Amino acid sequence: MPVKYIPYLPDTVEGQAILNNFVRTSRALKYRGNDKELKEKIVRGMPYYEVEKKESVGNNPNNLIIRGECISACAYLKEKGIKLDLVYIDPPFASGADYAKKVFIRKNPKVAEAIEKAEEKMDIEDLKSFEEKMYGDIWNKESYLNWMYENLLAIKSVMSESATIYLHLDYHICHYVKILMDEVFSESNFRNEIIWCYTAASKVNKDFPKKHDVIYRYSNTDDYIFNIDAVRVPYAAGSIDRANRNVISAGGMNFDSIQLNEKGKVVEDWWNDIQRATRYPGEIVDYATQKSEALLDRIIKASSNEKMIVADFFGGSGVTAKVANGLGRNFIHVDIGINSIQIARDGLKEKGAEFDILEIKDGVNLFRNPQQTMDKLKTMILGLRNEDKLDKFWEGSINDSKLGTIPVYLPNLLDHTTKVLDKYLMNRVINEAIPDLPDNVKKVIVYYIDIDDEKEIRKFIKEQTTTDKEIELRDLKQILDDVVADDIVEYSIQEKEIEITKFISHRLRIKIDEHNQKGMLQPLTATENETEENENNEEENGKKKKKFSPIVISPEGLELIELISLDCKNTEGIWQSDKEIKIDKLGYLIEDGKKTKTFWDAKISCNKKPLRMKVRNIAGDEVVINLGNNNISKAEKVKAKKKF
């Protein structure tokens, strides 16, 4: 449960009619009567949970990387009195698309020396990889708008008086969200609708290609920061009379009254001079929906000054934090996915940034991200199956030999509003979901993460239930705790040097096996000869087609390691990385944030005796091993086998 609830705004607890400021907003949100429920949740306030500091990089507590949801992060910032000067958010677009991360297999360090001697050059196209689902941007309209409304209110509550917010969306939902922005930030504080145009490959079909996003810019008050001279651009070629520096019209006539500014031309509200991140290869970090650094550079320069705080509550690839740091601003990067936290952390460390990493302890032991956790959960609830004939409110059903079909409700980890089982959610179960079930259903199971007041909820169930259907409540945390299975690390240690001898990740092996089976059903245990044969090309319709080449992992499994970090100061608590190596996609080492052209040799050393070791696999799972205690507990032996 939250430690407490913090008001979004000073007067929300007094019962302000939040959703009734003007009619069109009330209508936009009033889907199926859920506006009342939303209003009650907003009146209750933002959930404030305990926050744990996981790691300190350098010494600048003003820079934060926070793993958690937007609203919970805002509750923490408000509790600590932190005010934001600029907010950029690039939330899900309600596009209905699934987004995946490409996971690359590293080079086997056992053959690294031979590769280095041969000066082999790896082409990115030749790298072995598979994909992992990051999140599904699948929302119904009413859920998305209510979720976004709460987020916007939470963000506004931690913005300074002179702050600005940029909200990045596209055609799917932007017109609805514009109405919410007008209500939360006031129509009078609307500043720009920026149209960001970009080019990309297009398929010719019955529609014009969609090649722009929409960015709404709002200020918090009418006293806001805007540095127009910081974001001027060069005048277009051919538009300047170099003799008298006047603008020339299309017809060639001079307009003497229009003087050119030495700093360049004012940027309008349509931006066609910045391309998507994919057009800037040096920036790409293999994260879906990554935005280009040039885009954030313009936004941050225009609406903030040095030492100010720039925040991104859907931080993704960490571009906002990276650019803010490079421009001398403080940054706050927030995201719910562990891959986002790791990519942002590694990228900032590489740039020499100093920051703290915090984790919001909201009672959910998430896997890598909510989507993957949900997928894993469905496989761990014994007997759970999809049931098309049930309403979408139910995740599925369990078939019982005595009771028959038992519908199962699971809270949606992508939507924080379902995490707490309260009277409003229970009312939906009793008075909306259960009445639609077939008459022969005798029991339902309702899983929860947090429960508002269990005694009161059970009393409410007893008073409100008018059928003979039994309602069983189950704590989902008991299953969530078992979602993550730690990898196994075998190693030898001599004084200040550690050699990794074997790395076993059962989850990754299964994932790779699934990948191979989908690709021409090649077995995971394919021999080297078979692998080489599959790499030969065959002719198909006069064109060369490359046969599917399965991913083959060595017995040592060291290709599945991405990062190793040593802590020489602490045996528990806040992580302090005293030595760190990261293996990039091509197999080269990044040592303490510095890129090299050296291949990893399966070893890591430090100038001090290491007390803890953290090993991260290529998909983002991390296991921490205590090196300072010879009496390893039975539980820890499952995680690590220590060799001397």
Side-chain angles (χ1 to χ4, degrees), residues 114-153:
I115 295 172
E116 198 164 12
K117 286 180 180 178
E119 297 183 349
E120 178 183 350
K121 291 184 178 180
M122 290 292 296
D123 191 330
I124 192 69
E125 299 298 327
D126 296 327
L127 296 179
K128 301 290 188 183
S129 65
F130 61 91
E131 289 190 341
E132 286 235 292
K133 192 172 181 180
M134 297 290 287
Y135 68 91
D137 189 2
I138 301 172
W139 301 75
N140 61 54
K141 191 179 300 178
E142 61 269 23
S143 295
Y144 183 92
L145 292 174
N146 282 277
W147 172 79
M148 181 57 72
Y149 188 83
E150 288 186 85
N151 285 328
L152 293 175
L153 276 181

mmCIF file of all heavy atoms in Angstrom, residues 114-153:
data_model
loop_
_atom_site.group_PDB
_atom_site.id
_atom_site.type_symbol
_atom_site.label_atom_id
_atom_site.label_comp_id
_atom_site.label_asym_id
_atom_site.label_seq_id
_atom_site.Cartn_x
_atom_site.Cartn_y
_atom_site.Cartn_z
ATOM 1 N N ALA A 114 41.584 -14.874 -31.148
ATOM 2 C CA ALA A 114 41.720 -15.249 -32.552
ATOM 3 C C ALA A 114 41.077 -14.212 -33.466
ATOM 4 O O ALA A 114 41.603 -13.888 -34.527
ATOM 5 C CB ALA A 114 41.089 -16.615 -32.783
ATOM 6 N N ILE A 115 39.932 -13.695 -33.034
ATOM 7 C CA ILE A 115 39.245 -12.671 -33.826
ATOM 8 C C ILE A 115 40.104 -11.423 -33.933
ATOM 9 O O ILE A 115 40.257 -10.820 -34.990
ATOM 10 C CB ILE A 115 37.889 -12.326 -33.187
ATOM 11 C CG1 ILE A 115 36.961 -13.533 -33.235
ATOM 12 C CG2 ILE A 115 37.238 -11.145 -33.897
ATOM 13 C CD1 ILE A 115 35.681 -13.336 -32.464
ATOM 14 N N GLU A 116 40.704 -11.040 -32.810
ATOM 15 C CA GLU A 116 41.502 -9.826 -32.768
ATOM 16 C C GLU A 116 42.732 -9.959 -33.660
ATOM 17 O O GLU A 116 43.117 -9.031 -34.373
ATOM 18 C CB GLU A 116 41.916 -9.532 -31.329
ATOM 19 C CG GLU A 116 42.369 -8.112 -31.108
ATOM 20 C CD GLU A 116 42.401 -7.750 -29.641
ATOM 21 O OE1 GLU A 116 42.297 -8.655 -28.796
ATOM 22 O OE2 GLU A 116 42.523 -6.554 -29.343
ATOM 23 N N LYS A 117 43.357 -11.134 -33.644
ATOM 24 C CA LYS A 117 44.544 -11.350 -34.472
ATOM 25 C C LYS A 117 44.196 -11.274 -35.946
ATOM 26 O O LYS A 117 44.964 -10.793 -36.770
ATOM 27 C CB LYS A 117 45.171 -12.704 -34.140
ATOM 28 C CG LYS A 117 45.909 -12.728 -32.807
ATOM 29 C CD LYS A 117 46.513 -14.093 -32.543
ATOM 30 C CE LYS A 117 47.259 -14.100 -31.208
ATOM 31 N NZ LYS A 117 47.825 -15.449 -30.908
ATOM 32 N N ALA A 118 43.037 -11.787 -36.265
ATOM 33 C CA ALA A 118 42.611 -11.779 -37.667
ATOM 34 C C ALA A 118 42.061 -10.424 -38.089
ATOM 35 O O ALA A 118 41.757 -10.216 -39.266
ATOM 36 C CB ALA A 118 41.561 -12.856 -37.891
ATOM 37 N N GLU A 119 41.929 -9.502 -37.116
ATOM 38 C CA GLU A 119 41.382 -8.171 -37.373
ATOM 39 C C GLU A 119 40.052 -8.254 -38.107
ATOM 40 O O GLU A 119 39.771 -7.532 -39.063
ATOM 41 C CB GLU A 119 42.368 -7.317 -38.168
ATOM 42 C CG GLU A 119 43.667 -7.045 -37.410
ATOM 43 C CD GLU A 119 44.599 -6.144 -38.188
ATOM 44 O OE1 GLU A 119 44.330 -5.905 -39.378
ATOM 45 O OE2 GLU A 119 45.582 -5.676 -37.605
ATOM 46 N N GLU A 120 39.230 -9.180 -37.628
ATOM 47 C CA GLU A 120 37.925 -9.378 -38.256
ATOM 48 C C GLU A 120 37.038 -8.163 -38.040
ATOM 49 O O GLU A 120 36.950 -7.636 -36.934
ATOM 50 C CB GLU A 120 37.263 -10.621 -37.657
ATOM 51 C CG GLU A 120 35.870 -10.880 -38.207
ATOM 52 C CD GLU A 120 35.231 -12.088 -37.534
ATOM 53 O OE1 GLU A 120 35.929 -12.794 -36.811
ATOM 54 O OE2 GLU A 120 34.030 -12.287 -37.738
ATOM 55 N N LYS A 121 36.370 -7.734 -39.075
ATOM 56 C CA LYS A 121 35.433 -6.627 -38.978
ATOM 57 C C LYS A 121 34.015 -7.176 -39.023
ATOM 58 O O LYS A 121 33.636 -7.842 -39.976
ATOM 59 C CB LYS A 121 35.647 -5.615 -40.101
ATOM 60 C CG LYS A 121 36.960 -4.849 -39.980
ATOM 61 C CD LYS A 121 37.063 -3.791 -41.061
ATOM 62 C CE LYS A 121 38.353 -3.002 -40.914
ATOM 63 N NZ LYS A 121 38.481 -1.952 -41.961
ATOM 64 N N MET A 122 33.254 -6.883 -38.010
ATOM 65 C CA MET A 122 31.884 -7.383 -37.949
ATOM 66 C C MET A 122 30.929 -6.380 -38.585
ATOM 67 O O MET A 122 30.958 -5.197 -38.263
ATOM 68 C CB MET A 122 31.483 -7.620 -36.492
ATOM 69 C CG MET A 122 32.195 -8.798 -35.845
ATOM 70 S SD MET A 122 31.679 -10.361 -36.562
ATOM 71 C CE MET A 122 29.954 -10.365 -36.085
ATOM 72 N N ASP A 123 30.123 -6.852 -39.483
ATOM 73 C CA ASP A 123 29.062 -6.044 -40.073
ATOM 74 C C ASP A 123 27.820 -6.198 -39.206
ATOM 75 O O ASP A 123 27.480 -7.298 -38.791
ATOM 76 C CB ASP A 123 28.766 -6.520 -41.490
ATOM 77 C CG ASP A 123 27.856 -5.553 -42.243
ATOM 78 O OD1 ASP A 123 27.028 -4.894 -41.583
ATOM 79 O OD2 ASP A 123 27.971 -5.478 -43.468
ATOM 80 N N ILE A 124 27.128 -5.094 -38.934
ATOM 81 C CA ILE A 124 25.944 -5.134 -38.076
ATOM 82 C C ILE A 124 24.902 -6.107 -38.624
ATOM 83 O O ILE A 124 24.152 -6.729 -37.876
ATOM 84 C CB ILE A 124 25.337 -3.718 -37.925
ATOM 85 C CG1 ILE A 124 24.295 -3.678 -36.800
ATOM 86 C CG2 ILE A 124 24.715 -3.254 -39.220
ATOM 87 C CD1 ILE A 124 24.858 -3.833 -35.438
ATOM 88 N N GLU A 125 24.883 -6.294 -39.946
ATOM 89 C CA GLU A 125 23.903 -7.196 -40.552
ATOM 90 C C GLU A 125 24.206 -8.660 -40.242
ATOM 91 O O GLU A 125 23.347 -9.526 -40.358
ATOM 92 C CB GLU A 125 23.872 -6.990 -42.069
ATOM 93 C CG GLU A 125 23.472 -5.579 -42.495
ATOM 94 C CD GLU A 125 22.062 -5.221 -42.052
ATOM 95 O OE1 GLU A 125 21.215 -6.125 -42.008
ATOM 96 O OE2 GLU A 125 21.816 -4.040 -41.749
ATOM 97 N N ASP A 126 25.457 -8.949 -39.869
ATOM 98 C CA ASP A 126 25.856 -10.328 -39.599
ATOM 99 C C ASP A 126 25.655 -10.728 -38.146
ATOM 100 O O ASP A 126 25.854 -11.891 -37.790
ATOM 101 C CB ASP A 126 27.332 -10.531 -39.972
ATOM 102 C CG ASP A 126 27.562 -10.333 -41.467
ATOM 103 O OD1 ASP A 126 26.649 -10.655 -42.235
ATOM 104 O OD2 ASP A 126 28.649 -9.860 -41.836
ATOM 105 N N LEU A 127 25.293 -9.786 -37.300
ATOM 106 C CA LEU A 127 25.149 -10.089 -35.876
ATOM 107 C C LEU A 127 23.899 -10.921 -35.622
ATOM 108 O O LEU A 127 22.843 -10.683 -36.205
ATOM 109 C CB LEU A 127 25.076 -8.789 -35.064
ATOM 110 C CG LEU A 127 26.319 -7.900 -35.095
ATOM 111 C CD1 LEU A 127 26.081 -6.650 -34.264
ATOM 112 C CD2 LEU A 127 27.542 -8.643 -34.594
ATOM 113 N N LYS A 128 24.032 -11.887 -34.735
ATOM 114 C CA LYS A 128 22.899 -12.712 -34.348
ATOM 115 C C LYS A 128 22.041 -11.942 -33.352
ATOM 116 O O LYS A 128 22.561 -11.306 -32.420
ATOM 117 C CB LYS A 128 23.383 -14.013 -33.701
ATOM 118 C CG LYS A 128 24.276 -14.859 -34.605
ATOM 119 C CD LYS A 128 23.486 -15.469 -35.737
ATOM 120 C CE LYS A 128 24.333 -16.465 -36.520
ATOM 121 N NZ LYS A 128 23.613 -17.020 -37.670
ATOM 122 N N SER A 129 20.730 -12.010 -33.521
ATOM 123 C CA SER A 129 19.849 -11.271 -32.618
ATOM 124 C C SER A 129 18.463 -11.894 -32.608
ATOM 125 O O SER A 129 18.112 -12.676 -33.484
ATOM 126 C CB SER A 129 19.753 -9.801 -33.043
ATOM 127 O OG SER A 129 19.128 -9.695 -34.318
ATOM 128 N N PHE A 130 17.695 -11.526 -31.595
ATOM 129 C CA PHE A 130 16.283 -11.883 -31.530
ATOM 130 C C PHE A 130 15.545 -10.716 -30.893
ATOM 131 O O PHE A 130 16.174 -9.784 -30.380
ATOM 132 C CB PHE A 130 16.064 -13.183 -30.735
ATOM 133 C CG PHE A 130 16.526 -13.111 -29.298
ATOM 134 C CD1 PHE A 130 15.661 -12.725 -28.295
ATOM 135 C CD2 PHE A 130 17.828 -13.449 -28.961
ATOM 136 C CE1 PHE A 130 16.079 -12.663 -26.976
ATOM 137 C CE2 PHE A 130 18.263 -13.385 -27.642
ATOM 138 C CZ PHE A 130 17.384 -12.998 -26.649
ATOM 139 N N GLU A 131 14.227 -10.740 -30.956
ATOM 140 C CA GLU A 131 13.454 -9.610 -30.452
ATOM 141 C C GLU A 131 12.720 -9.953 -29.163
ATOM 142 O O GLU A 131 12.309 -11.093 -28.955
ATOM 143 C CB GLU A 131 12.441 -9.135 -31.500
ATOM 144 C CG GLU A 131 13.090 -8.433 -32.678
ATOM 145 C CD GLU A 131 12.069 -7.755 -33.572
ATOM 146 O OE1 GLU A 131 10.879 -8.120 -33.503
ATOM 147 O OE2 GLU A 131 12.466 -6.845 -34.332
ATOM 148 N N GLU A 132 12.588 -8.931 -28.304
ATOM 149 C CA GLU A 132 11.824 -9.069 -27.070
ATOM 150 C C GLU A 132 10.804 -7.939 -27.011
ATOM 151 O O GLU A 132 11.112 -6.783 -27.323
ATOM 152 C CB GLU A 132 12.754 -8.974 -25.854
ATOM 153 C CG GLU A 132 13.597 -10.197 -25.640
ATOM 154 C CD GLU A 132 13.401 -10.749 -24.245
ATOM 155 O OE1 GLU A 132 13.800 -10.100 -23.289
ATOM 156 O OE2 GLU A 132 12.833 -11.849 -24.150
ATOM 157 N N LYS A 133 9.591 -8.255 -26.623
ATOM 158 C CA LYS A 133 8.523 -7.264 -26.565
ATOM 159 C C LYS A 133 8.770 -6.276 -25.424
ATOM 160 O O LYS A 133 9.020 -6.663 -24.286
ATOM 161 C CB LYS A 133 7.182 -7.975 -26.351
ATOM 162 C CG LYS A 133 5.977 -7.095 -26.560
ATOM 163 C CD LYS A 133 4.706 -7.923 -26.512
ATOM 164 C CE LYS A 133 3.472 -7.076 -26.731
ATOM 165 N NZ LYS A 133 2.244 -7.892 -26.690
ATOM 166 N N MET A 134 8.716 -4.992 -25.761
ATOM 167 C CA MET A 134 8.916 -3.947 -24.759
ATOM 168 C C MET A 134 7.582 -3.548 -24.127
ATOM 169 O O MET A 134 7.423 -3.560 -22.923
ATOM 170 C CB MET A 134 9.561 -2.716 -25.404
ATOM 171 C CG MET A 134 10.944 -2.988 -25.969
ATOM 172 S SD MET A 134 12.157 -3.276 -24.684
ATOM 173 C CE MET A 134 12.358 -1.616 -24.051
ATOM 174 N N TYR A 135 6.642 -3.173 -24.957
ATOM 175 C CA TYR A 135 5.304 -2.872 -24.447
ATOM 176 C C TYR A 135 4.328 -2.865 -25.614
ATOM 177 O O TYR A 135 4.704 -2.702 -26.769
ATOM 178 C CB TYR A 135 5.255 -1.532 -23.704
ATOM 179 C CG TYR A 135 5.447 -0.298 -24.561
ATOM 180 C CD1 TYR A 135 4.357 0.348 -25.133
ATOM 181 C CD2 TYR A 135 6.719 0.239 -24.768
ATOM 182 C CE1 TYR A 135 4.533 1.476 -25.907
ATOM 183 C CE2 TYR A 135 6.895 1.371 -25.541
ATOM 184 C CZ TYR A 135 5.801 1.982 -26.106
ATOM 185 O OH TYR A 135 5.982 3.101 -26.880
ATOM 186 N N GLY A 136 3.068 -3.088 -25.289
ATOM 187 C CA GLY A 136 2.016 -3.033 -26.288
ATOM 188 C C GLY A 136 1.239 -1.741 -26.128
ATOM 189 O O GLY A 136 0.631 -1.504 -25.085
ATOM 190 N N ASP A 137 1.305 -0.891 -27.128
ATOM 191 C CA ASP A 137 0.621 0.406 -27.066
ATOM 192 C C ASP A 137 -0.843 0.210 -27.463
ATOM 193 O O ASP A 137 -1.307 0.716 -28.471
ATOM 194 C CB ASP A 137 1.324 1.383 -28.007
ATOM 195 C CG ASP A 137 0.813 2.807 -27.848
ATOM 196 O OD1 ASP A 137 -0.047 3.027 -26.977
ATOM 197 O OD2 ASP A 137 1.268 3.689 -28.586
ATOM 198 N N ILE A 138 -1.546 -0.594 -26.668
ATOM 199 C CA ILE A 138 -2.930 -0.956 -26.988
ATOM 200 C C ILE A 138 -3.848 -0.450 -25.880
ATOM 201 O O ILE A 138 -3.788 -0.918 -24.745
ATOM 202 C CB ILE A 138 -3.069 -2.479 -27.145
ATOM 203 C CG1 ILE A 138 -2.134 -2.970 -28.265
ATOM 204 C CG2 ILE A 138 -4.510 -2.853 -27.456
ATOM 205 C CD1 ILE A 138 -2.052 -4.462 -28.380
ATOM 206 N N TRP A 139 -4.650 0.528 -26.196
ATOM 207 C CA TRP A 139 -5.540 1.137 -25.214
ATOM 208 C C TRP A 139 -6.924 1.295 -25.836
ATOM 209 O O TRP A 139 -7.047 1.504 -27.033
ATOM 210 C CB TRP A 139 -5.046 2.526 -24.823
ATOM 211 C CG TRP A 139 -3.689 2.598 -24.229
ATOM 212 C CD1 TRP A 139 -2.493 2.481 -24.874
ATOM 213 C CD2 TRP A 139 -3.368 2.834 -22.859
ATOM 214 N NE1 TRP A 139 -1.464 2.628 -23.991
ATOM 215 C CE2 TRP A 139 -1.963 2.852 -22.747
ATOM 216 C CE3 TRP A 139 -4.134 3.042 -21.709
ATOM 217 C CZ2 TRP A 139 -1.314 3.062 -21.544
ATOM 218 C CZ3 TRP A 139 -3.486 3.248 -20.514
ATOM 219 C CH2 TRP A 139 -2.089 3.257 -20.434
ATOM 220 N N ASN A 140 -7.955 1.254 -24.977
ATOM 221 C CA ASN A 140 -9.225 1.775 -25.460
ATOM 222 C C ASN A 140 -9.237 3.264 -25.123
ATOM 223 O O ASN A 140 -8.526 3.729 -24.236
ATOM 224 C CB ASN A 140 -10.416 1.029 -24.852
ATOM 225 C CG ASN A 140 -10.475 1.135 -23.342
ATOM 226 O OD1 ASN A 140 -10.465 2.243 -22.788
ATOM 227 N ND2 ASN A 140 -10.532 0.009 -22.652
ATOM 228 N N LYS A 141 -10.020 4.001 -25.849
ATOM 229 C CA LYS A 141 -9.958 5.461 -25.779
ATOM 230 C C LYS A 141 -10.216 6.004 -24.377
ATOM 231 O O LYS A 141 -9.492 6.862 -23.869
ATOM 232 C CB LYS A 141 -10.959 6.060 -26.768
ATOM 233 C CG LYS A 141 -10.813 7.555 -26.978
ATOM 234 C CD LYS A 141 -11.833 8.054 -27.980
ATOM 235 C CE LYS A 141 -11.677 7.395 -29.323
ATOM 236 N NZ LYS A 141 -12.694 7.848 -30.298
ATOM 237 N N GLU A 142 -11.249 5.483 -23.717
ATOM 238 C CA GLU A 142 -11.594 6.042 -22.405
ATOM 239 C C GLU A 142 -10.512 5.780 -21.373
ATOM 240 O O GLU A 142 -10.191 6.641 -20.545
ATOM 241 C CB GLU A 142 -12.945 5.512 -21.925
ATOM 242 C CG GLU A 142 -13.032 4.008 -21.738
ATOM 243 C CD GLU A 142 -13.496 3.299 -22.983
ATOM 244 O OE1 GLU A 142 -13.346 3.860 -24.078
ATOM 245 O OE2 GLU A 142 -14.008 2.176 -22.859
ATOM 246 N N SER A 143 -9.920 4.583 -21.405
ATOM 247 C CA SER A 143 -8.859 4.263 -20.449
ATOM 248 C C SER A 143 -7.646 5.152 -20.679
ATOM 249 O O SER A 143 -7.040 5.663 -19.736
ATOM 250 C CB SER A 143 -8.455 2.792 -20.573
ATOM 251 O OG SER A 143 -9.517 1.949 -20.203
ATOM 252 N N TYR A 144 -7.286 5.346 -21.936
ATOM 253 C CA TYR A 144 -6.129 6.178 -22.261
ATOM 254 C C TYR A 144 -6.325 7.615 -21.789
ATOM 255 O O TYR A 144 -5.437 8.211 -21.165
ATOM 256 C CB TYR A 144 -5.873 6.156 -23.766
ATOM 257 C CG TYR A 144 -4.646 6.941 -24.175
ATOM 258 C CD1 TYR A 144 -3.411 6.328 -24.278
ATOM 259 C CD2 TYR A 144 -4.723 8.303 -24.459
ATOM 260 C CE1 TYR A 144 -2.279 7.044 -24.642
ATOM 261 C CE2 TYR A 144 -3.611 9.031 -24.819
ATOM 262 C CZ TYR A 144 -2.383 8.400 -24.916
ATOM 263 O OH TYR A 144 -1.273 9.130 -25.274
ATOM 264 N N LEU A 145 -7.490 8.176 -22.073
ATOM 265 C CA LEU A 145 -7.726 9.577 -21.723
ATOM 266 C C LEU A 145 -7.759 9.793 -20.211
ATOM 267 O O LEU A 145 -7.238 10.784 -19.700
ATOM 268 C CB LEU A 145 -9.021 10.066 -22.364
ATOM 269 C CG LEU A 145 -9.002 10.172 -23.894
ATOM 270 C CD1 LEU A 145 -10.371 10.530 -24.430
ATOM 271 C CD2 LEU A 145 -7.960 11.178 -24.353
ATOM 272 N N ASN A 146 -8.375 8.871 -19.486
ATOM 273 C CA ASN A 146 -8.392 8.998 -18.036
ATOM 274 C C ASN A 146 -6.993 8.850 -17.460
ATOM 275 O O ASN A 146 -6.598 9.567 -16.540
ATOM 276 C CB ASN A 146 -9.339 7.962 -17.429
ATOM 277 C CG ASN A 146 -10.794 8.369 -17.565
ATOM 278 O OD1 ASN A 146 -11.315 9.130 -16.761
ATOM 279 N ND2 ASN A 146 -11.449 7.883 -18.595
ATOM 280 N N TRP A 147 -6.233 7.887 -18.001
ATOM 281 C CA TRP A 147 -4.840 7.687 -17.580
ATOM 282 C C TRP A 147 -4.008 8.929 -17.861
ATOM 283 O O TRP A 147 -3.252 9.399 -17.008
ATOM 284 C CB TRP A 147 -4.292 6.470 -18.331
ATOM 285 C CG TRP A 147 -2.835 6.211 -18.181
ATOM 286 C CD1 TRP A 147 -2.194 5.627 -17.124
ATOM 287 C CD2 TRP A 147 -1.813 6.498 -19.142
ATOM 288 N NE1 TRP A 147 -0.850 5.529 -17.369
ATOM 289 C CE2 TRP A 147 -0.583 6.052 -18.600
ATOM 290 C CE3 TRP A 147 -1.821 7.070 -20.412
ATOM 291 C CZ2 TRP A 147 0.627 6.182 -19.279
ATOM 292 C CZ3 TRP A 147 -0.610 7.195 -21.091
ATOM 293 C CH2 TRP A 147 0.590 6.753 -20.528
ATOM 294 N N MET A 148 -4.170 9.504 -19.036
ATOM 295 C CA MET A 148 -3.404 10.687 -19.400
ATOM 296 C C MET A 148 -3.806 11.898 -18.560
ATOM 297 O O MET A 148 -2.960 12.714 -18.172
ATOM 298 C CB MET A 148 -3.596 10.998 -20.894
ATOM 299 C CG MET A 148 -2.807 12.207 -21.386
ATOM 300 S SD MET A 148 -1.028 12.070 -21.092
ATOM 301 C CE MET A 148 -0.618 10.835 -22.312
ATOM 302 N N TYR A 149 -5.089 12.007 -18.266
ATOM 303 C CA TYR A 149 -5.564 13.125 -17.448
ATOM 304 C C TYR A 149 -4.886 13.123 -16.079
ATOM 305 O O TYR A 149 -4.412 14.150 -15.590
ATOM 306 C CB TYR A 149 -7.079 13.041 -17.294
ATOM 307 C CG TYR A 149 -7.703 14.250 -16.634
ATOM 308 C CD1 TYR A 149 -8.010 15.384 -17.370
ATOM 309 C CD2 TYR A 149 -7.986 14.251 -15.270
ATOM 310 C CE1 TYR A 149 -8.586 16.494 -16.773
ATOM 311 C CE2 TYR A 149 -8.560 15.355 -14.668
ATOM 312 C CZ TYR A 149 -8.856 16.478 -15.417
ATOM 313 O OH TYR A 149 -9.421 17.572 -14.813
ATOM 314 N N GLU A 150 -4.817 11.957 -15.455
ATOM 315 C CA GLU A 150 -4.150 11.845 -14.158
ATOM 316 C C GLU A 150 -2.670 12.186 -14.269
ATOM 317 O O GLU A 150 -2.107 12.868 -13.408
ATOM 318 C CB GLU A 150 -4.305 10.431 -13.607
ATOM 319 C CG GLU A 150 -5.700 10.106 -13.118
ATOM 320 C CD GLU A 150 -5.746 8.745 -12.462
ATOM 321 O OE1 GLU A 150 -5.431 8.664 -11.256
ATOM 322 O OE2 GLU A 150 -6.087 7.773 -13.142
ATOM 323 N N ASN A 151 -2.022 11.713 -15.322
ATOM 324 C CA ASN A 151 -0.602 12.008 -15.510
ATOM 325 C C ASN A 151 -0.361 13.506 -15.652
ATOM 326 O O ASN A 151 0.577 14.061 -15.069
ATOM 327 C CB ASN A 151 -0.074 11.290 -16.760
ATOM 328 C CG ASN A 151 0.112 9.806 -16.545
ATOM 329 O OD1 ASN A 151 0.430 9.368 -15.444
ATOM 330 N ND2 ASN A 151 -0.083 9.025 -17.585
ATOM 331 N N LEU A 152 -1.191 14.165 -16.447
ATOM 332 C CA LEU A 152 -1.013 15.605 -16.672
ATOM 333 C C LEU A 152 -1.215 16.400 -15.386
ATOM 334 O O LEU A 152 -0.474 17.346 -15.098
ATOM 335 C CB LEU A 152 -1.973 16.088 -17.758
ATOM 336 C CG LEU A 152 -1.710 15.549 -19.170
ATOM 337 C CD1 LEU A 152 -2.805 16.011 -20.127
ATOM 338 C CD2 LEU A 152 -0.341 15.976 -19.673
ATOM 339 N N LEU A 153 -2.218 16.017 -14.604
ATOM 340 C CA LEU A 153 -2.426 16.695 -13.323
ATOM 341 C C LEU A 153 -1.234 16.487 -12.394
ATOM 342 O O LEU A 153 -0.806 17.404 -11.688
ATOM 343 C CB LEU A 153 -3.695 16.182 -12.646
ATOM 344 C CG LEU A 153 -5.021 16.803 -13.064
ATOM 345 C CD1 LEU A 153 -6.160 16.182 -12.271
ATOM 346 C CD2 LEU A 153 -5.025 18.312 -12.864
#
